[in-house]
Amino acid sequence: MSENSIYEFLLNLPLLEVTKVALDKHHLVINCRSKLGGGICPCCQQKTDVVNQRYTRLVSDLSMSGRNVLLQLEVRQFYCSVCDRYFSEQFDFVSEHSHTTTRQAKWIFML
C-alpha cells in the first residue's frame, strides 16, 4: 500500500485521490483531486468533461495525530455547451462556500 493510498484510507473520502502530502510540526497538508471523470451541469443535468480551468480550494478537516489537517482540493471548472454555462465541481463533504468539512463542522457543533 502506497503512502498516498494510506491517506486516502484514513480520510475515508472515496471519491478523492491524494496526489501529495506535506507534513510539518503543526500541519498536515493533503493535496487531493476528484476521481470522477466529468461533471453534471446543475442547470440542464447533462454530463460534460470539458474543463475550462482549475483552481485550488483550502479546506480544514479533523485533526490527525495532533496536527491540523488541511485538504488542498484541486477544483475543476467545467463548461456546458448545452447551456453555454460555466460551473465548478462540488464535493459532498464540504458546503459550497465553507472552509471546513462537514465532519469537522459537526465535531465543532458537538463540542
Side-chain angles (χ1 to χ4, degrees):
M1 187 179 269
S2 72
E3 178 183 349
N4 288 354
S5 60
I6 290 170
Y7 285 104
E8 288 175 15
F9 176 78
L10 291 173
L11 285 174
N12 193 27
L13 298 171
L15 297 179
L16 283 187
E17 173 187 10
V18 173
T19 57
K20 182 180 171 186
V21 177
L23 179 69
D24 67 25
K25 189 174 181 180
H26 301 288
H27 298 92
L28 175 62
V29 180
I30 304 173
N31 293 48
C32 308
R33 65 179 170 213
S34 174
K35 289 182 179 178
L36 299 176
I40 304 294
C41 177
C43 185
C44 69
Q45 303 301 307
Q46 296 296 313
K47 184 175 180 179
T48 181
D49 59 356
V50 179
V51 177
N52 180 56
Q53 68 177 343
R54 299 170 195 271
Y55 61 92
T56 302
R57 180 177 176 192
L58 200 59
V59 178
S60 271
D61 201 359
L62 291 175
S63 297
M64 197 182 298
S65 298
R67 291 180 173 88
N68 295 325
V69 174
L70 299 171
L71 303 179
Q72 194 165 3
L73 301 173
E74 179 186 285
V75 181
R76 298 172 293 176
Q77 182 190 64
F78 293 101
Y79 172 70
C80 177
S81 59
V82 175
C83 299
D84 191 31
R85 174 187 169 141
Y86 296 93
F87 64 95
S88 295
E89 66 185 327
Q90 301 298 311
F91 299 96
D92 62 352
F93 59 89
V94 62
S95 299
E96 187 174 354
H97 297 290
S98 180
H99 296 285
T100 61
T101 60
T102 51
R103 62 182 165 203
Q104 185 182 35
K106 183 178 178 181
W107 181 79
I108 290 169
F109 176 76
M110 296 303 286
L111 286 178

